[in-house]
């Protein structure tokens, strides 16, 4: 029987034939992809002709075409709509794909050809993008261990394989904890909650076949529950379960996995000649060194902690007035912060939420992209990989640009968080290839679907990543879209969030779910005035996580990561009533793969740039300034990784930024 993953995809926009694909198709298709890749590499490495950019580097770009295509579908589905079969295949494929990658980078004949090209690079008459791709290819091989030989090469291969296995296990354990826990509620337990939280809890109960409403560990449900529930006992149960993900003992406990991952990362760095894993990892980032990262984080930590401690005093006083004996606890913060926000800004989440309809926020994200970049969005029919998924064709001046898929609702089969990925990336080496881009979120089900303001920001954030993919205009897939330095990749996404705050955007799209009327000017003004409210809390929980991540990797690996976490938090003076945004056992950014290891700081590094970049539009007096929008498109979004990140930002802004714009944007400049 023909495997649909291995046929030509001849449907509209060459989308994957989701309706024909079964879980049983993925394993054989990925095996075929590796077989084809091995054969292609053997031809490149054994080519009797002298190395050229075309017969070596471009040939390598083509080598994994089948594997990339199949993996692009599989890993999107594995994260967004997991099944037992997909999870089993992930566990099976993780070490095999790692071994396959090591085969290629350990191929001495192949690396010799790359080194030959590198030594003659000034004579090759390469375009700027080709020169960049050659540099990145060689650097990738060296950092993967291509220059090692003998036992060191074999050991590095084994270390990378084990890390792949452990990262997969960490992510699957976390998903298992998140989907297995829920707190049954009675209708009486819903007293004091806004209607949108009640509706979400009832919908979650139905989804889990429970007799009544439930609280789950989905952020879009548990956070508003913690904000509004007057039942301190229930808040504590829910919060502690949320905090304990990955640390509940048994088969899904991630603490030993985290310890082994850190030990192996340190060994990997030493095998490659680096003092620490942080030094290895940060070498290719804009920050460059652990000291530069720590300096940025501490510049922000001190004013954020000062602001958070001042806020904690206010919240504790209110808690005492409620009869709470003892200190303010982490499960109290959001509840009393919400009360204080109402007092200070006359701003009630329950009043706001009807104005942030999911469909209207999608329309808003699209409309901003139309005004800035001339993009148009037209709905398309599936089938897609799940009934929740929606699709659009993206065009500009009538020409096809991309397919965009939106998967917005939480479900037990989806891992937590929000992300953007590409099932197919843009390139034009062998003809124009346009991307298929996916945004995945975890918003609570309701009818109509309503978002919190933070949810709406998340939607804009992920769509900023999607634009980075959709507007990519490079030749080689390896530098396409979001294939950039980790501490640059969040710039487009965080920058795009700013347009949600533009008054004219809110005036047009923040319309009431029942009346259809726009948000009143007074409410909008109060919302924007409260933009930096409780910023001490959110900054502290984030920076603490980033500092712990850095400490894990900058120096000897800790034998007990939980003890190391506690030591770091004590050293920096972590406020008692605030915990890390991501404690070690559920710190998926850092432990489910290498992507953000030593790199969780990158959101803050990018925020330094996004605050400064949007200030350019403010200085121009127009958030849709045509010249700046064109520069943002041409100098950042379209270039992917084809140019050094610092150079791209300098092209747009004329200089690199300082931390001042970030502190001002977070309302922390007064505490600095």
């Amino acid at each position: 029987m023909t495997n649909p993953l291995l046929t030509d995809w001849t449907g509209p926009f060459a989308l994957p034939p989701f309706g024909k694909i079964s879980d049983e198709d993925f394993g054989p298709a990925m095996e075929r992809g590796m077989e084809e890749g091995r054969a292609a590499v053997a031809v490149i490495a054994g080519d009797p002709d002298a190395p050229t950019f075309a017969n070596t580097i471009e040939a390598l770009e083509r080598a994994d075409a089948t594997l990339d295509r199949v993996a692009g579908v599989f890993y999107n589905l594995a994260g967004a709509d997991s099944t037992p079969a997909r999870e089993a295949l992930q566990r099976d494929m993780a070490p095999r794909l790692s071994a396959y990658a090591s085969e290629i980078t350990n191929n001495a004949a192949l690396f010799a050809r790359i080194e030959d090209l590198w030594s003659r690079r000034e004579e090759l008459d390469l375009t700027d993008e080709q020169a960049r791709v050659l540099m990145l290819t060689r650097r990738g091989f060296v950092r993967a261990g291509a220059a090692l030989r003998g036992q060191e090469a074999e050991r590095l291969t084994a270390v990378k394989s084990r890390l792949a296995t452990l990262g997969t296990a960490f992510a699957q354990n976390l998903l298992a904890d998140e989907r297995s826990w829920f707190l049954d509620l009675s209708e009486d337990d819903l007293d004091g909650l806004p209607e949108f939280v009640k509706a979400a809890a009832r919908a979650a109960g139905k989804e889990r076949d429970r007799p009544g409403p439930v609280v789950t560990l989905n952020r879009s449900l548990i956070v508003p529950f913690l904000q509004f529930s007057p039942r301190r006992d229930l808040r504590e149960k829910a919060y502690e379960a949320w905090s304990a993900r990955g640390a509940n003992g048994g088969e899904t406990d991630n603490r030993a996995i985290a310890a082994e991952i850190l030990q192996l990362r340190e060994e990997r760095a030493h095998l490659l000649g680096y003092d620490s894993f942080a030094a290895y990892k940060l070498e290719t980032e804009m920050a460059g060194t652990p000291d530069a990262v720590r300096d940025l984080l501490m510049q922000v930590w001190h004013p954020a902690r000062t602001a958070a401690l001042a806020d904690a005093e206010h919240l504790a006083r209110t808690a005492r007035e409620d009869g709470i004996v003892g200190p303010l606890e982490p499960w109290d913060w959001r509840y009393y912060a919400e009360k204080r926000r109402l007092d200070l800004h006359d701003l009630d989440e329950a009043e706001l939420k009807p104005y942030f309809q999911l469909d209207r926020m999608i329309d808003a994200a699209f409309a901003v992209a139309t005004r800035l970049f001339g993009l148009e969005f037209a709905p398309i029919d599936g089938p897609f990989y799940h009934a929740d998924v929606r699709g659009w064709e993206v065009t500009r001046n009538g020409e096809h640009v991309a397919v965009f898929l939106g998967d917005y609702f939480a479900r037990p089969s989806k891992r937590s968080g929000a992300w953007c990925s590409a099932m197919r990336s843009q390139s034009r080496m062998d003809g124009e290839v346009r991307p298929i881009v996916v945004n995945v979120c975890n918003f609570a089900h309701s009818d109509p679907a309503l978002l919190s303001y933070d949810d709406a920001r998340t939607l804009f954030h992920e769509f900023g990543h999607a634009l980075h993919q959709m507007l990519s205009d490079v030749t080689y897939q390896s530098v396409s879209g979001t294939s950039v330095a980790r501490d640059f990749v969040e710039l487009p996404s965080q920058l795009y969030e700013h347009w949600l705050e533009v008054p004219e955007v809110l005036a047009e799209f923040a319309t009431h779910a029942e009346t259809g009327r726009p948000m009143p000017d007074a409410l909008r003004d109060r919302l924007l005035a409260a933009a930096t409210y409780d910023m001490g809390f959110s900054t502290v929980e984030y920076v603490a996580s980033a500092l712990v991540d850095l400490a894990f990797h900058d120096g000897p690996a800790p034998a007990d990561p939980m003890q190391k976490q506690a030591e770091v938090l004590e050293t920096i003076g972590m406020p008692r009533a605030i915990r890390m945004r991501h404690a070690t056992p559920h710190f998926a950014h850092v432990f489910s793969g290498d992507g953000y290891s030593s790199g969780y700081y990158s959101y803050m590094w990018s925020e330094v740039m996004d605050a400064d970049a949007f200030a350019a539009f403010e200085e121009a007096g127009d958030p849709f300034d045509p010249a700046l929008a064109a520069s943002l498109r041409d100098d950042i979004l379209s270039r992917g990784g084809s140019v050094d990140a610092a150079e791209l930002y300098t092209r747009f802004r004329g200089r690199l930024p300082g931390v001042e714009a970030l502190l001002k944007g977070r309302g922390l400049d007064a505490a600095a």
Side-chain angles (χ1 to χ4, degrees):
M1 188 172 180
T2 303
N3 189 324
L5 289 164
L6 298 173
T7 62
D8 289 336
W9 297 346
T10 58
F13 313 112
L15 284 169
F18 295 112
K20 299 178 181 179
I21 298 170
S22 70
D23 284 349
E24 291 72 27
D25 295 323
F26 285 111
M30 294 178 82
E31 288 289 351
R32 170 74 70 82
M34 288 189 286
E35 290 172 8
E36 291 182 5
R38 288 188 182 97
V41 167
V43 170
I44 299 167
D47 191 339
D49 293 338
T52 66
F53 189 86
N55 69 19
T56 303
I57 303 302
E58 288 187 344
L60 269 177
E61 290 270 331
R62 297 185 182 96
D64 284 332
T66 297
L67 184 59
D68 287 345
R69 184 171 75 151
V70 175
V73 178
F74 175 71
Y75 284 103
N76 272 277
L77 269 61
D81 191 27
S82 182
T83 66
R86 291 169 191 171
E87 291 181 14
L89 184 58
Q90 272 188 290
R91 294 191 295 270
D92 178 55
M93 292 303 301
R96 295 167 68 184
L97 287 170
S98 175
Y100 168 73
S102 293
E103 280 182 49
I104 295 173
T105 53
N106 291 346
N107 188 312
L110 176 61
F111 184 55
R113 294 180 69 85
I114 295 170
E115 284 286 73
D116 178 83
L117 289 171
W118 181 248
S119 69
R120 296 186 291 111
R121 60 191 179 278
E122 301 299 335
E123 310 164 11
L124 298 179
D125 193 28
L126 301 177
T127 67
D128 289 344
E129 184 177 336
Q130 288 173 332
R132 175 80 173 168
V133 169
L134 173 59
M135 183 278 290
L136 292 172
T137 302
R138 178 185 180 272
R139 188 176 75 181
F141 269 69
V142 171
R143 287 170 59 79
L148 299 181
R149 295 290 180 268
Q151 290 184 348
E152 288 186 335
E154 292 175 4
R155 179 56 186 163
L156 183 60
T157 295
V159 165
K160 289 191 289 185
S161 177
R162 179 62 177 162
L163 282 169
T165 297
L166 292 170
T168 300
F170 188 99
Q172 292 189 353
N173 288 346
L174 179 55
L175 176 59
D177 276 6
E178 288 173 343
R179 70 185 171 202
S180 65
W181 188 92
F182 53 85
L183 177 63
D184 281 310
L185 302 175
S186 69
E187 284 294 321
D188 289 344
D189 293 333
L190 301 181
D191 288 348
L193 296 176
E195 284 302 319
F196 75 86
V197 184
K198 293 179 181 179
R202 291 173 184 137
K206 288 181 180 178
E207 190 173 52
R208 284 165 170 74
D209 296 321
R210 304 303 296 170
V214 302
V215 172
T216 70
L217 298 181
N218 175 260
R219 188 177 187 91
S220 289
L221 177 52
I222 195 169
V223 167
F225 182 80
L226 293 170
Q227 282 178 299
F228 293 107
S229 176
R231 288 283 301 278
R232 194 180 192 223
D233 58 331
L234 297 180
R235 295 202 310 268
E236 180 179 2
K237 286 180 182 178
Y239 184 89
E240 291 291 19
W242 196 31
S243 298
R245 290 169 293 159
N248 290 302
E251 294 182 355
T252 63
D253 197 294
N254 275 333
R255 286 171 287 192
I257 291 176
E260 186 177 354
I261 286 173
L262 294 174
Q263 295 287 340
L264 290 172
R265 285 177 178 165
E266 181 186 16
E267 183 179 0
R268 178 181 181 181
H270 288 170
L271 285 167
L272 292 168
Y274 294 87
D275 291 336
S276 68
F277 185 80
Y280 160 75
K281 190 68 185 297
L282 294 171
E283 179 185 49
T284 61
E285 307 300 333
M286 291 185 73
T289 66
D291 285 345
V293 172
R294 188 175 293 104
D295 179 62
L296 168 69
L297 293 174
M298 293 310 294
Q299 284 186 66
V300 178
W301 172 259
H302 292 297
R305 180 177 180 273
T306 298
L309 290 174
D311 289 340
E313 292 181 8
H314 289 284
L315 303 184
R317 281 198 298 270
T318 307
R320 286 193 294 271
E321 292 170 2
D322 272 1
I324 291 178
V325 178
L328 187 74
E329 298 288 357
W331 48 88
D332 296 322
W333 190 291
R334 287 176 173 83
Y335 179 70
Y336 287 104
E338 183 64 25
K339 282 191 169 187
R340 187 174 180 227
R341 183 171 75 150
L342 182 59
D343 290 341
L344 291 178
H345 298 284
D346 191 21
L347 205 59
D348 182 355
E349 185 76 23
E351 180 186 10
L352 278 175
K353 195 139 186 173
Y355 291 100
F356 290 98
Q357 301 173 70
L358 172 61
D359 286 350
R360 295 296 287 152
M361 291 300 102
I362 294 171
D363 290 344
F366 289 174
V368 170
T370 300
R371 290 189 64 180
L372 288 172
F373 310 119
L375 299 178
E376 299 288 345
F377 301 83
I380 59 175
D381 295 327
F384 304 121
Y385 62 85
H386 190 278
D388 286 346
V389 179
R390 302 158 67 178
W392 293 266
E393 182 191 9
V394 186
T395 59
R396 183 171 51 212
N397 298 325
E399 295 187 3
H400 178 73
V401 171
V403 169
F404 174 67
L405 303 181
D407 183 358
Y408 295 109
F409 294 118
R411 52 181 174 266
S413 63
K414 184 189 288 186
R415 65 178 170 88
S416 62
W419 64 94
C420 174
S421 57
M423 288 193 182
R424 182 173 67 223
S425 296
Q426 179 270 332
S427 67
R428 56 170 181 270
M429 182 178 70
D430 294 318
E432 191 67 44
V433 176
R434 299 310 308 171
I436 302 170
V437 187
V438 188
N439 273 179
V440 184
C441 299
N442 270 280
F443 303 140
H445 275 282
S446 57
D447 186 19
L450 303 179
L451 307 182
S452 68
Y453 188 55
D454 284 344
D455 286 340
R457 290 178 69 93
T458 295
L459 187 148
F460 266 67
H461 178 102
E462 298 307 333
F463 194 70
H465 281 308
L467 288 170
H468 204 178
Q469 295 278 13
M470 292 189 285
L471 291 171
S472 180
D473 185 21
V474 299
T475 300
Y476 300 101
Q477 181 179 309
S478 61
V479 292
S480 175
T482 57
S483 298
V484 300
R486 180 65 63 177
D487 50 10
F488 190 69
V489 76
E490 298 297 336
L491 168 61
S493 55
Q494 293 177 184
L495 176 57
Y496 205 67
E497 293 178 36
H498 288 274
W499 274 276
L500 178 60
E501 301 174 349
V502 172
E504 62 188 281
V505 173
L506 289 172
E508 182 174 358
F509 295 99
T511 56
H512 199 279
E514 295 179 3
T515 67
R517 294 174 181 170
M519 180 184 291
D521 291 350
L523 179 58
R524 182 197 65 211
D525 292 345
R526 297 199 306 273
L527 172 65
L528 296 178
T532 61
Y533 174 70
D534 209 25
M535 195 59 77
F537 168 84
S538 60
T539 306
V540 160
E541 64 165 8
Y542 164 78
V543 175
S545 296
L547 286 167
V548 169
D549 166 42
L550 185 64
F552 279 159
H553 298 99
D554 185 22
D560 183 351
M562 300 305 293
Q563 180 181 343
K564 182 67 172 179
Q565 173 185 298
E567 290 172 357
V568 172
L569 297 180
E570 182 179 2
T571 298
I572 63 176
M574 185 73 170
R576 185 187 187 283
I578 306 177
R579 294 182 186 171
M580 293 168 60
R581 182 172 300 177
H582 303 290
T584 298
H586 57 259
F587 207 163
H589 281 79
V590 169
F591 291 107
S592 65
D594 277 353
Y596 283 90
S597 56
S598 299
Y600 192 61
Y601 77 93
S602 61
Y603 291 92
M604 188 67 71
W605 191 274
S606 293
E607 189 177 344
V608 170
M609 290 182 285
D610 85 64
D612 180 68
F614 194 71
F617 287 90
E618 293 175 324
E619 291 161 11
D622 180 2
F624 297 97
D625 182 85
L628 286 171
S631 177
L632 177 60
R633 180 193 65 216
D634 296 339
D635 294 325
I636 293 180
L637 296 175
S638 69
R639 298 272 53 87
S642 64
V643 179
D644 178 74
E647 181 179 338
L648 289 178
Y649 189 83
T650 302
R651 288 182 187 178
F652 172 72
R653 195 66 166 109
R655 53 165 174 74
L656 291 175
V659 74
E660 297 77 17
L662 178 148
L663 292 175
K664 181 180 179 182
R666 285 187 169 239
L668 299 174
D669 47 335

